[in-house]
Amino acid sequence: MTPSTPIDDAEIARSIALEDIDVSKPELFERDGLHPYFERLRREDPVHYCKASEYGPYWSITKFSDIVAIDTNHKVFSSDHTNGSFVLDDTTLNAVDGGIYLPNFLGMDPPKHDVHRMVVSPIVAPQNLLRFEATIRERTKRVLSELPIGEEFNWVDRVSIELTTMMLATLLDFPFDDRRKLTRWSDIITTRPGYGLVDSWEQRESELMECLAYFQRLYAERQAMPPKPDLISMLAHSPEMQDLTPTDFLGTLALLIVGGNDTTRSSMSGSAMACHLYPQEFDKVRNNRALLASVIPEVVRWQTPIAHMRRTALEDVEFRGKQIRKGDKVVMWYLSGNRDDEVIDRPMDFIADRPRARHHLSFGFGIHRCLGNRLAELQLKILWEEMCERYSRIEVCGEPVRVPSNLVHGYIDIPVRLHA
């Protein structure tokens, strides 16, 4: 059998007609082949129209400042589910083509967005972060102490998933022994048939209904108890949330589960990759812990755990010389904006002491800026502190397996070997 010829994305990106570039293809993310296409779009056509894709026609916004302009203008570029979805793939969140409708406050514009967001925002208030810190530290120490030195294992499963799922279970006050259900449901929410997780829309819906039934039991329990500082209790005791339909409840759960899981999981996985690819930067941090202030936002930028968010134009508008029509899908590629060399010096590189490291797009801008960004950074900071205590090197010893998704920019498997 003849081995397949490796795909040269750099060559394809140079030679393909500009109008034929479609950066939404999941296989580009799966093989980490995106950056040459984004580089060309930023250079030649930063507001680019793709006339045909698996998800229909859409606009790609690929430069840092243009993404900020779109993200902060919700009066023209809407997230509201009545106008479209907040992601490119309508089927994962809307009831089209077999998908199931999952409304939540990411799919709302003000004022409704603000009311729903305020219900759950106390979970990440500063006093709660202080309350969580000791728990996160104890768990991180325990997880890392159980890892083998000098033996190969999957960092994603043993570290990234384990730590983020424990934290998510705490935020939800979810039965701890069942916490891996949260990982599965998070993956199911952002997938579609053919991506390796489910074989049909019916299977996906069945698993989401299992998720809904489980949380409805928890919701009823919390309603019957005095208010507690967990997300399900906050929903159960909020006057604004008493009219939630089962679909609304499932949509809100989808946002909380994915938001509390995938972002941090991918950044923890990216941390292992960064330590392997840039060992001199890991050494910098080991020798100077003050660099944690810049290295944590640098990890989040360099990894960019959510590759895009999408808006829908509410009116005909000219943007950077292009005529965007009412109803058009407008995709902000955070993954591209975080590699814009007009804003970020040496953007492809991981630099532990990068100046202005917080100047990145990974948490979004405007009203939809990531609610849990400070908690995510706290989890990453503690992980890096404990890694620096234990390891001289984190070696990736095989080809990583990436998530085949144009939304979640992460990993399924990173085979690593730790050096004490």
Side-chain angles (χ1 to χ4, degrees):
M1 177 181 270
T2 305
S4 58
T5 305
I7 296 172
D8 187 345
D9 284 297
E11 174 57 33
I12 295 171
R14 280 193 300 271
S15 58
I16 192 173
L18 197 61
E19 64 182 26
D20 293 333
I21 291 178
D22 174 13
V23 287
S24 73
K25 295 176 179 177
E27 59 266 28
L28 289 175
F29 292 79
E30 190 172 19
R31 65 174 183 258
D32 196 31
L34 275 158
H35 292 299
Y37 301 93
F38 280 140
E39 183 181 357
R40 186 173 174 203
L41 290 183
R42 288 194 302 271
R43 185 176 65 247
E44 298 180 25
D45 196 17
V47 181
H48 173 265
Y49 189 66
C50 176
K51 62 182 181 297
S53 80
E54 186 175 1
Y55 317 100
Y58 66 94
W59 292 93
S60 281
I61 312 298
T62 53
K63 289 190 69 65
F64 190 108
S65 299
D66 292 344
I67 291 169
V68 174
I70 298 288
D71 218 357
T72 53
N73 187 2
H74 64 269
K75 292 183 178 179
V76 175
F77 300 102
S78 171
S79 304
D80 198 280
H81 64 87
T82 59
N83 301 311
S85 180
F86 57 86
V87 295
L88 178 55
D89 186 356
D90 294 300
T91 56
T92 55
L93 294 168
N94 286 359
V96 294
D97 296 337
I100 182 170
Y101 182 45
L102 298 173
N104 56 61
F105 62 77
L106 259 187
M108 298 174 188
D109 291 334
K112 191 175 182 183
H113 161 273
D114 304 344
V115 172
H116 282 243
R117 183 178 169 112
M118 284 299 294
V119 170
V120 295
S121 59
I123 197 75
V124 288
Q127 63 270 25
N128 261 1
L129 296 187
L130 289 172
R131 183 169 63 88
F132 291 142
E133 184 165 1
T135 300
I136 296 169
R137 172 101 42 205
E138 183 274 325
R139 288 172 177 171
T140 304
K141 284 185 172 185
R142 187 171 75 247
V143 166
L144 296 188
S145 69
E146 294 171 354
L147 300 176
I149 300 295
E151 297 176 21
E152 184 178 321
F153 67 92
N154 178 6
W155 178 272
V156 179
D157 183 64
R158 295 285 296 274
V159 179
S160 308
I161 290 176
E162 187 63 10
L163 288 177
T164 52
T165 305
M166 285 194 289
M167 189 70 242
L168 184 56
T170 300
L171 294 174
L172 295 162
D173 194 14
F174 189 87
F176 212 64
D177 290 344
D178 280 350
R179 64 187 182 276
R180 283 285 176 136
K181 290 181 181 291
L182 297 170
T183 306
R184 174 68 182 180
W185 290 331
S186 180
D187 293 340
I188 291 296
I189 288 162
T190 57
T191 196
R192 52 160 43 201
Y195 289 3
L197 281 173
V198 295
D199 297 323
S200 66
W201 289 112
E202 290 75 21
Q203 182 190 348
R204 180 175 181 268
E205 181 172 352
S206 174
E207 293 201 40
L208 289 176
M209 289 301 106
E210 176 195 333
C211 171
L212 174 62
Y214 196 115
F215 275 99
Q216 283 176 323
R217 292 195 297 273
L218 294 181
Y219 186 93
E221 290 172 8
R222 306 292 154 83
Q223 268 193 324
M225 299 165 63
K228 300 194 305 177
D230 68 80
L231 288 168
I232 302 305
S233 185
M234 289 177 184
L235 294 175
H237 289 278
S238 167
E240 291 83 5
M241 295 294 185
Q242 296 312 302
D243 60 347
L244 287 182
T245 66
T247 300
D248 291 334
F249 185 42
L250 181 58
T252 300
L253 291 172
L255 175 59
L256 297 176
I257 291 170
V258 174
N261 181 51
D262 275 321
T263 324
T264 314
R265 184 208 303 190
S266 296
S267 296
M268 287 181 171
S269 300
S271 294
M273 290 298 298
C275 291
H276 168 74
L277 293 171
Y278 299 89
Q280 72 283 1
E281 301 302 305
F282 184 42
D283 287 343
K284 282 183 190 177
V285 186
R286 289 175 56 236
N287 294 326
N288 180 7
R289 303 300 166 80
L291 292 181
L292 287 165
S294 58
V295 84
I296 300 311
E298 175 68 350
V299 167
V300 177
R301 177 202 70 85
W302 187 77
Q303 178 59 35
T304 314
I306 298 297
H308 82 268
M309 280 284 145
R310 171 249 175 129
R311 303 290 182 256
T312 304
L314 294 180
E315 59 190 57
D316 291 355
V317 60
E318 184 178 308
F319 185 80
R320 304 292 186 258
K322 296 295 182 77
Q323 191 64 44
I324 297 175
R325 301 292 182 187
K326 180 179 180 180
D328 282 358
K329 296 180 180 181
V330 181
V331 180
M332 304 173 292
W333 291 107
Y334 299 141
L335 187 58
S336 174
N338 276 339
R339 298 294 190 271
D340 186 349
D341 61 7
E342 289 187 4
V343 177
I344 299 170
D345 185 44
R346 292 168 52 200
M348 297 300 291
D349 294 338
F350 177 84
I351 301 173
D353 51 357
R354 180 181 292 281
R356 299 181 69 225
R358 290 197 170 280
H359 193 51
H360 65 74
L361 294 166
S362 298
F363 292 133
F365 275 82
I367 62 168
H368 291 295
R369 182 170 170 80
C370 177
L371 181 66
N373 61 326
R374 294 300 187 212
L375 177 58
E377 289 186 333
L378 175 62
Q379 292 174 266
L380 287 165
K381 174 177 174 287
I382 291 172
L383 174 61
W384 272 77
E385 286 173 346
E386 297 301 327
M387 291 192 316
C388 288
E389 286 290 325
R390 287 169 170 76
Y391 313 127
S392 61
R393 185 175 162 219
I394 297 175
E395 175 193 3
V396 175
C397 48
E399 189 61 35
V401 179
R402 294 175 173 84
V403 179
S405 166
N406 59 33
L407 176 65
V408 176
H409 185 231
Y411 297 87
I412 297 169
D413 186 353
I414 302 177
V416 302
R417 188 177 292 112
L418 301 176
H419 298 258

